[in-house]
Amino acid sequence: MRRPAAALLCAVLLAGCAGGAGERPGTADGRAQGPPHAVSATGPLPPVVDHVPTREPVVFLTYDDGAERDPRFVGLVRERRLPVSMFLTDSVVGPGYGHFARLRAVGASIQNHTLDHPALRGLPYAGQRAEICGQQHKLRSRFGISPRLFRPPYGTYDRTTLRAAADCGITAVVLWRASLGADGELTYTRGEPGLRPGDIVSVPAGETMSPSLTERTVRLLREIERKGLRVGRLEDHVQDHPMGQPKDPPMGHPKDHLEREPGRRAAGN
């Protein structure tokens, strides 16, 4: 009769060692937390987009990581009313979230680019989900929002990435068809060179890049206007133009061209 009592005592002691009531491991940085309305991993996968089919003369400007915090860029976004999309990585932004709060206040949108910027392709589901859901938690705590768009670091992903993203509440995985180089020239992942309506453009950012983020964006805006285009709000257009279900990316996918090796990380991806 004494064995059940002893077993019960052991269970109580073990529960006490695991932490207080209601505590979950990893909640300090959000790695163990999913969004309030997580989607089942067996549900629909988010589409992967680098271009949005639209008849409107718009392109979409996206900025990654959060390393470059040029204060003049806030003024440019405000003055030009630019609906740019900022894909933030927590370990890169560091103490700079206030800068992005100011950007958000003047019209920029805040989106997910993982906690620590790892190359996700090939990682286990748990690790990929921790990176994506963890940053969802960070952005909710900082801004009170749950982003719907996600950009995988280096533009690399696999079907596990899509399942993890769906489970974290992501509705679209965003890549890019055009990328602005340090020399101010645009390069393209596929199709004919030249901006066209619906293109998603990646504008690299880095702490030591020259010209500044503001100057590079101004030059890009001149090219956009020369083509008879304007900057559109990406999340509105992605929501308005469903893309259907994605397929597994093949090895050597052209969207990986900018950054295949994490050790050669290029700013802005």
Side-chain angles (χ1 to χ4, degrees), residues 8-34:
L8 177 61
L9 177 60
C10 289
V12 171
L13 290 174
L14 287 172
C17 293
E23 292 182 356
R24 298 175 62 188
T27 55
D29 67 359
R31 293 175 193 271
Q33 293 197 12

Side-chain angles (χ1 to χ4, degrees), residues 79-224:
E79 292 165 11
R80 300 289 295 268
R81 297 183 180 180
L82 297 175
V84 297
S85 300
M86 316 300 295
F87 288 84
L88 301 185
T89 295
D90 182 69
S91 63
V92 176
V93 175
Y97 274 105
H99 172 79
F100 295 99
R102 291 187 288 275
L103 272 171
R104 183 169 179 260
V106 298
S109 75
I110 303 297
Q111 305 297 341
N112 190 325
H113 197 43
T114 71
L115 280 173
D116 298 318
H117 207 281
L120 295 177
R121 185 167 61 192
L123 295 181
Y125 171 82
Q128 296 204 39
R129 186 183 187 280
E131 282 288 337
I132 302 170
C133 282
Q135 182 63 347
Q136 290 288 87
H137 172 75
K138 282 283 188 179
L139 296 176
R140 281 200 310 275
S141 66
R142 293 283 184 172
F143 302 109
I145 60 174
S146 293
R148 312 301 290 179
L149 305 183
F150 169 67
R151 173 167 285 166
Y154 314 108
T156 62
Y157 67 98
D158 55 21
R159 200 165 186 84
T160 300
T161 309
L162 304 183
R163 291 197 294 114
D167 194 44
C168 296
I170 297 298
T171 58
V173 172
V174 178
L175 301 182
W176 58 91
R177 194 184 86 87
S179 179
L180 185 69
D183 58 0
E185 295 296 321
L186 286 166
T187 58
Y188 298 85
T189 61
R190 63 180 180 84
E192 293 294 324
L195 286 176
R196 62 192 189 197
D199 277 348
I200 298 173
V201 183
S202 170
V203 183
E207 293 179 354
T208 60
M209 291 189 72
S210 180
S212 71
L213 184 63
T214 301
E215 292 167 331
R216 297 196 305 277
T217 301
V218 167
R219 293 179 185 179
L220 177 57
L221 290 173
R222 293 194 189 110
E223 175 65 12
I224 291 171

